[in-house]
Amino acid sequence: PDYQIAVGDRVHLRMWGAFNHEAVQVVDAQGNLFVPSLGPLRVQGVRNAELGERVEAHVKRTFRANVGVYATLEAAQPVKLYVTGFVRAPGLYPGLSSDSVLYYLDRAGGVDPDRGSYLEVSLLRGGQLRSKVNLYQFLLNGRIEPMQLQDGDTLVVGPRRHAVLVGGEVLNPYVFELEQPRVPARTIIELARPLPTATHLSIVRKSGNQRRSEYHPL
């Protein structure tokens, strides 16, 4: 419902009653639909949930009664996105403007787990930063910000930042990426999710040629 109609989208338009018409129309380069006997109607930027109301209001200006109106988005416009940075297969990939960022990352083979960042995925439009995606929010909590993509957009996966290796009595033994070089221990605990059997946290840290360890109760 929050998808905004864009140039190239296909809209199914149906009118019945005193005036009958049915067709699938493409939103033209000016962002308009051409309604027979009524002329162009600007729909670019209109939320999909409000498309029917916008078309109906336009029709009712001429046909005040005895005409039913139905309009719905049939298909979002096809687009091609560049996916680059630290992914397995950088390149230009086709899809739809309504497809998720995850779809294009998947087409590019996914984030390179040894070099790529799950915290720093940038969407560029015209060379300018449009949005950033934190994939940990999706991987751990199922949340991802919806984006409407345009032809020629670029997804860039940045280099992996700071990392901590977590093992032992946890649900998520993994190498976790961190935005900062120093974080509270509770941040790691939230990511790793200790098992009920876990009682202590052991931290092993290298400082130059020295190796230090700490031991803390949970």
Side-chain angles (χ1 to χ4, degrees):
D2 290 328
Y3 178 83
Q4 295 182 354
I5 306 300
V7 172
D9 286 351
R10 297 168 59 194
V11 174
H12 185 189
L13 176 62
R14 178 182 296 173
M15 300 166 60
W16 68 92
F19 181 81
N20 291 292
H21 173 75
E22 182 174 2
V24 175
Q25 296 196 14
V26 177
V27 180
D28 66 22
Q30 284 71 46
N32 297 325
L33 281 180
F34 188 84
V35 184
S37 301
L38 300 176
L41 167 64
R42 184 166 181 81
V43 294
Q44 185 178 6
V46 174
R47 292 177 64 245
N48 189 28
E50 301 166 354
L51 176 62
E53 295 178 2
R54 174 66 67 91
V55 176
E56 184 176 17
H58 183 66
V59 171
K60 294 296 185 183
R61 293 174 185 172
T62 301
F63 300 102
R64 299 185 180 276
N66 301 323
V67 175
V69 179
Y70 176 79
T72 183
L73 178 68
E74 183 177 80
Q77 64 169 326
V79 297
K80 290 183 179 180
L81 260 67
Y82 296 97
V83 186
T84 187
F86 293 90
V87 291
R88 288 189 173 100
L92 180 64
Y93 293 96
L96 297 175
S97 57
S98 56
D99 283 333
S100 166
V101 167
L102 297 174
Y103 170 82
Y104 291 97
L105 290 175
D106 182 55
R107 293 292 302 272
V111 176
D112 185 328
D114 296 322
R115 302 181 303 144
S117 173
Y118 289 86
L119 303 175
E120 188 77 15
V121 180
S122 302
L123 175 66
L124 306 182
R125 182 166 298 163
Q128 302 297 317
L129 179 65
R130 181 75 176 185
S131 184
K132 285 192 174 183
V133 180
N134 182 339
L135 292 177
Y136 270 23
Q137 291 298 318
F138 173 74
L139 292 170
L140 295 174
N141 305 310
R143 296 197 303 267
I144 189 167
E145 180 184 352
M147 297 182 190
Q148 190 162 331
L149 305 171
Q150 293 185 9
D151 194 49
D153 283 354
T154 302
L155 279 177
V156 183
V157 175
R160 189 172 75 175
R161 296 185 176 185
H162 315 282
V164 172
L165 172 64
V166 181
E169 297 291 304
V170 293
L171 287 172
N172 295 326
Y174 200 69
V175 177
F176 289 101
E177 184 182 6
L178 307 173
E179 291 186 303
Q180 304 296 331
R182 298 176 66 90
V183 297
R186 66 175 177 271
T187 299
I188 304 299
I189 292 173
E190 289 172 357
L191 293 172
R193 298 181 179 176
L195 296 170
T197 53
T199 60
H200 289 75
L201 172 67
S202 173
I203 302 174
V204 179
R205 180 182 298 124
K206 287 184 178 180
S207 179
N209 294 326
Q210 295 184 341
R211 186 183 181 93
R212 298 189 307 165
S213 63
E214 303 173 12
Y215 200 60
H216 304 278
L218 289 177

